[in-house]
Amino acid sequence: MERQEHIPDGYIFRPTDAELLSYLALYVTGKPVLSTVPITEIDLYNGEEPSEIFKRSREKVMYIFTTLIRRSSSDSRYIRTIRDGKGTWKAQDRGKPIYRRYGNDDDDNQHLRQLIGYKRSLRYEKSGSKYDGRFLMKEYYFPSHIRATLERPLNDTVLCRIKRKQNNRDIMGFESGSIEEARNIGDIIGKLTKSNSSSEVNSLLETSH
């Protein structure tokens, strides 16, 4: 599923967590992701270290669709070591929930929110390498009840936001922002989480624009 990106000069990509999950929803259901969205497809666990991947980009932050590799067909755990033992993406937490809020912004009612996904923090580790600890990842993925509606390998597909550190400082400054086109798919996640089958997911996405 190749994507052609058309990024205008001066364009700044500052997606929210919910927007990133919306892009992931489009991707796993075979729907086109906006051409102005700089997300690429790379197999992060198939031989290349992050330093090699970043050589092809001038960006300090990259957004990547990738498919995780299960330890076995019956195992829900994933292999986090890059092939040929080049390094490991070490999880820093168990995944933090991402909610979609309903109602007014001033409404603090906890019942007006819906779980739409998670983001997990990982750090690249390779003992003795100058790149040890120099790359940080946020991995976005859906709850198990959504992934259960998708066939493999799409149910193991995630969206990663990877940043490289510079001078031992965390240079990531993207937490929220405004992408006008992305607002048109802001409701996709809410509809996706109410779906019980892949066919329903597809029909909902087709009517979300």
Side-chain angles (χ1 to χ4, degrees), residues 85-101:
K86 291 185 176 181
T88 300
W89 284 102
K90 181 72 172 179
Q92 304 299 300
D93 56 40
R94 300 185 64 180
K96 297 180 179 180
I98 300 171
Y99 295 97
R100 179 174 183 245
R101 288 289 302 273

Side-chain angles (χ1 to χ4, degrees), residues 35-201:
S35 61
T36 53
V37 173
I39 305 178
T40 188
E41 303 167 44
I42 298 176
D43 188 346
L44 292 177
Y45 297 95
N46 199 32
E48 283 192 307
E49 294 185 272
S51 58
E52 298 172 305
I53 295 173
F54 271 81
K55 285 180 180 179
R56 301 194 294 270
S57 173
R58 295 182 299 176
E59 302 297 329
K60 299 297 188 296
V61 179
M62 292 185 67
Y63 295 84
I64 297 170
F65 291 121
T66 197
T67 299
L68 302 181
I69 303 172
R70 293 177 183 257
R71 295 188 179 185
S72 69
S73 59
S74 59
D75 199 333
S76 61
R77 295 172 297 174
Y78 298 107
I79 298 172
R80 296 292 183 176
T81 299
I82 297 176
R83 193 182 64 183
D84 299 329
K86 291 185 176 181
T88 300
W89 284 102
K90 181 72 172 179
Q92 304 299 300
D93 56 40
R94 300 185 64 180
K96 297 180 179 180
I98 300 171
Y99 295 97
R100 179 174 183 245
R101 288 289 302 273
Y102 292 88
N104 299 325
D105 292 338
D106 296 332
D107 195 338
D108 294 327
N109 191 336
Q110 295 299 305
H111 296 292
L112 297 180
R113 67 179 189 177
Q114 178 184 30
L115 177 67
I116 59 174
Y118 295 91
K119 64 176 177 179
R120 178 183 288 117
S121 298
L122 302 99
R123 182 178 65 183
Y124 183 72
E125 296 184 355
K126 184 179 181 181
S127 180
S129 169
K130 65 178 180 180
Y131 298 115
D132 182 36
R134 302 286 290 182
F135 293 90
L136 304 176
M137 178 196 294
K138 293 290 185 184
E139 180 183 272
Y140 292 82
Y141 58 99
F142 292 125
S144 58
H145 70 278
I146 294 181
R147 287 185 280 118
T149 69
L150 302 169
E151 297 182 357
R152 292 185 181 178
L154 293 175
N155 62 344
D156 292 326
T157 299
V158 297
L159 196 165
C160 301
R161 178 173 65 179
I162 303 178
K163 57 187 176 183
R164 53 184 170 186
K165 297 171 65 176
Q166 190 174 32
N167 298 326
N168 294 321
R169 292 187 297 112
D170 185 348
I171 61 172
M172 183 61 174
F174 302 171
E175 286 300 329
S176 63
S178 60
I179 309 173
E180 290 302 323
E181 289 180 279
R183 298 184 188 279
N184 296 328
I185 60 174
D187 291 333
I188 290 178
I189 294 298
K191 295 179 179 179
L192 181 59
T193 56
K194 297 177 183 177
S195 174
N196 295 318
S197 70
S198 296
S199 61
E200 291 179 1
V201 169

